[in-house]
Amino acid sequence: MSTRTILVLNPKGGCGKTTLAVNIASFYAKQGRSVVLADFDPQGSTMEWLQARSEKYPQIKGIPAWKNELRPPKDADYLVMDAPAAVHGRDVTKLVKRAQSVVMPVLPSPIDIRAAAHFIHDILLNGKVSRNETKLAVVANRVRENTIVYHKLQRFLKRLEIPFIATLRDTQNYIRAAERGTGIFEMAPSMVNQDLEQWRSLTRWLNSKRSLPG
Ligand SMILES: Nc1ncnc2c1ncn2[C@@H]1O[C@H](COP(=O)(O)OP(=O)(O)O)[C@@H](O)[C@H]1O
Ligand SMILES: [Mg+2]
């Protein structure tokens, strides 16, 4: 089986790229799959998350891809890539080329919604994306329901040509998990019930043909 490649991308900082990347990685690691996490951000947050990870959790291999050429092991089941902020132009193209699926987190804030609109406009013109060789989906992140700005984000995401696959709430659970180098899938289920439920539609998309090229 060839490696399944997933990129978490949005040039806006702080929208949840690293949070999504590490949780996607730990989701598959917990299922016993071999997972490689590649960090393209010189801030190295993903690598720090791995350093905090105790050996009692399923192993995930990290690659600091911002400094070393990324040569993922051929036998990896999953390659999860965490993109840096402020990427544009050819750097976006280079990243997108490596991925079968791109997940884009967007925050419910007017500034982030506008930035996402521009970025999505640009990325839909990207050859790989327009030729369906890379599939793109958006995720609303850090959502507090029943806020006006969340309703605005929802309206915006629903109007897009790309699938809006999940809404993740704003919760300390992600922060607590990150402190220990774990994902929410590795926390006590009673604490993260609601989050696991919200992730189901995200992982369903990732596990379906809808997220694969062709
Ligand atoms: N759903 C969420 N609920 C609460 N905090 C979150 C959530 N998603 C991200 N965060 C926090 O927001 C901050 C930015 O997230 P991060 O994943 O580092 O974004 P990026 O990698 O896009 O810069 C971090 O402190 C992270 O813990
Ligand atoms: Mg990050």
Side-chain angles (χ1 to χ4, degrees):
M1 198 190 97
S2 60
T3 305
R4 180 78 176 84
T5 52
I6 300 161
L7 169 69
V8 186
L9 176 70
N10 182 340
K12 197 85 182 47
C15 61
K17 291 180 290 296
T18 299
T19 304
L20 253 63
V22 302
N23 277 282
I24 292 169
S26 69
F27 172 79
Y28 287 116
K30 193 166 181 247
Q31 295 190 340
R33 315 306 291 273
S34 76
V35 179
V36 174
L37 246 180
D39 193 349
F40 284 90
D41 189 343
Q43 284 189 355
S45 306
T46 298
M47 293 297 111
E48 280 170 5
W49 177 83
L50 277 175
Q51 274 156 23
R53 190 170 173 83
S54 124
E55 278 170 19
K56 71 178 187 200
Y57 298 108
Q59 201 194 340
I60 294 170
K61 186 181 156 54
I63 298 181
W66 76 88
K67 56 178 177 193
N68 302 334
E69 173 65 19
L70 174 62
R71 287 203 193 81
K74 290 258 183 320
D75 58 355
D77 295 325
Y78 287 86
L79 170 65
V80 181
M81 295 169 279
D82 185 12
V87 278
H88 41 244
R90 284 179 53 200
D91 290 335
V92 171
T93 306
K94 271 200 250 168
L95 283 169
V96 167
K97 258 190 185 154
R98 296 179 176 278
Q100 297 165 321
S101 319
V102 175
V103 179
M104 182 175 164
V106 182
L107 295 184
S109 103
I111 294 172
D112 286 66
I113 293 171
R114 262 181 243 127
H118 293 302
F119 182 65
I120 289 167
H121 173 82
D122 292 349
I123 203 172
L124 288 175
L125 301 174
N126 180 291
K128 285 275 281 189
V129 175
S130 64
R131 290 193 301 271
N132 254 346
E133 289 162 16
T134 296
K135 290 294 179 73
L136 192 65
V138 290
V139 171
N141 186 34
R142 300 199 74 166
V143 164
R144 282 171 293 139
E145 290 202 58
N146 301 319
T147 53
I148 291 168
V149 71
Y150 174 56
H151 292 299
K152 281 194 181 145
L153 176 62
Q154 226 177 0
R155 270 203 302 278
F156 164 70
L157 296 179
K158 281 181 181 162
R159 275 203 319 261
L160 294 174
E161 289 164 54
I162 52 182
F164 165 30
I165 53 165
T167 295
L168 307 178
R169 65 178 178 145
D170 187 279
T171 163
Q172 291 292 309
N173 284 343
Y174 292 104
I175 294 161
R176 285 196 204 104
E179 261 169 10
R180 304 179 209 151
T182 65
I184 53 153
F185 304 97
E186 293 158 324
M187 294 177 82
S190 59
M191 273 187 66
V192 291
N193 248 328
Q194 204 179 333
D195 307 303
L196 298 179
E197 179 61 40
Q198 294 186 324
W199 268 80
R200 232 158 263 152
S201 52
L202 204 167
T203 53
R204 199 184 305 126
W205 183 77
L206 284 175
N207 288 336
S208 76
K209 283 197 181 139
R210 291 177 292 145
S211 65
L212 286 172

